[in-house]
């Protein structure tokens, strides 16, 4: 016996129910991807602008503040920081040892020199900032007498002479390049008023060289890793003082 007359056709899904079941079209997916890309790009641009603003504050307030404090100390005392008032040598700290931390701050405060604004109270020699991966870094200021390559008696000849410098520790490559360009107009690790510590006294190097690390390198490494989560490698720079 056949019961075909009892079978009823299943109605097609129409209207709002059918619309709720369909997938995204290629146009809708493309628009969504464009919107997501714009949001990600805006976040990245905002992060870069914030970081650049922080670097500018380090340059204008912190580094320039310490340069001015050094000049004010020399003008007010007649000697360089840490030198002997009775038997001056012209060398920072009277020798080649760094003048850093509490000792540095104490020397300036004892002379009545106002310290630049640093990380916090009692840490005017430090300034916290973020690297290009958003990880915390801290630049520190010291002063020292070091060997500094200067032109000799012939073109292309250089001699190393003792000079007083401001030491800038733990700079990311981006910060070092910005400060170098603003201090002497040339982002070069070998020449100019600001140099990398390993290049400052190189009398045999007669051509400019780049800074030894870049933003692709992780902290403590000189090999490019290009990992977004890594703390960026840092470098030490020297800035030549007037006295």
């Amino acid at each position: 016996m056949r019961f075909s007359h009892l079978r009823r056709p299943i109605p097609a899904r129409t209207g709002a129910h059918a619309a709720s079941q369909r997938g995204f079209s290629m146009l809708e997916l493309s628009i969504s991807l464009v919107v997501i890309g714009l949001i990600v790009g805006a976040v990245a641009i905002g992060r870069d602008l914030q970081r650049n603003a922080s670097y500018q504050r380090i340059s204008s307030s912190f580094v320039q503040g310490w340069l001015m404090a050094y000049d004010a100390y020399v003008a007010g005392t007649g000697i360089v920081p840490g030198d002997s008032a009775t038997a001056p040598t012209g060398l920072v700290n009277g020798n080649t040892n760094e003048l850093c931390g509490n000792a540095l701050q104490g020397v300036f405060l004892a002379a009545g020199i106002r310290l630049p604004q640093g990380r916090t109270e009692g840490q005017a020699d430090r300034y916290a900032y973020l690297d290009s991966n958003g990880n915390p870094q801290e630049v520190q200021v010291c002063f020292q007498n070091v060997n500094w390559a200067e032109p000799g008696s012939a073109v292309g000849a250089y001699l190393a002479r003792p000079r007083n410098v401001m030491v800038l520790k733990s700079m990311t490559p981006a910060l070092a390049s910005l400060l170098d360009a603003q201090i002497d107009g040339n982002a070069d690790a070998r020449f100019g008023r600001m140099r990398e510590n390993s290049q400052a006294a190189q009398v045999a190097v007669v051509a400019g060289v780049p800074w030894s690390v870049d933003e692709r390198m992780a902290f403590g490494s000189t090999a490019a890793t290009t990992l977004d989560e890594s703390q960026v490698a840092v470098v030490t720079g020297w800035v030549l003082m007037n006295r």
Side-chain angles (χ1 to χ4, degrees), residues 180-200:
D180 194 5
Q182 293 189 347
I183 289 174
D184 58 30
N186 186 17
D188 184 336
R190 165 63 181 86
F191 292 99
R193 188 183 177 190
M194 180 174 177
R195 304 176 184 178
E196 187 172 350
N197 61 334
S198 61
Q199 293 292 334

Side-chain angles (χ1 to χ4, degrees), residues 89-164:
T89 64
L91 310 179
V92 166
N93 225 18
N95 51 40
T96 58
N97 295 327
E98 287 183 332
L99 182 61
C100 288
N102 291 336
L104 168 65
Q105 296 178 80
V107 165
F108 278 78
L109 291 173
I113 305 299
R114 183 178 179 180
L115 301 180
Q117 183 178 359
R119 178 171 183 172
T120 185
E121 184 67 26
Q123 293 187 339
D125 62 323
R126 302 166 185 268
Y127 200 104
Y129 66 103
L130 299 178
D131 61 27
S132 57
N133 288 338
N135 294 312
Q137 300 277 7
E138 184 182 70
V139 61
Q140 181 183 9
V141 161
C142 300
F143 290 96
Q144 188 179 8
N145 185 268
V146 301
N147 286 328
W148 189 269
E150 297 180 347
S153 57
V155 176
Y158 295 91
L159 298 173
R161 297 185 174 94
R163 293 290 182 262
N164 294 320

Side-chain angles (χ1 to χ4, degrees), residues 172-216:
T172 62
L175 178 59
S177 296
L178 181 143
L179 293 176
D180 194 5
Q182 293 189 347
I183 289 174
D184 58 30
N186 186 17
D188 184 336
R190 165 63 181 86
F191 292 99
R193 188 183 177 190
M194 180 174 177
R195 304 176 184 178
E196 187 172 350
N197 61 334
S198 61
Q199 293 292 334
Q202 294 291 340
V203 296
V205 179
V206 297
V209 296
W211 290 79
S212 61
V213 296
D214 61 48
E215 293 292 308
R216 302 170 302 162

Side-chain angles (χ1 to χ4, degrees), residues 53 56 62 79 115 131 137 149 166 169 177 187 192 208 217 224 229 237:
Q56 290 293 341
F62 185 67
I79 58 174
L115 301 180
D131 61 27
Q137 300 277 7
M166 178 170 66
K169 299 181 178 181
S177 296
M217 299 174 183
E229 66 271 19

Side-chain angles (χ1 to χ4, degrees), residues 65-81:
W66 274 106
L67 290 173
M68 294 173 62
Y70 181 97
D71 290 340
Y73 183 97
V74 173
T77 64
I79 58 174
V80 296

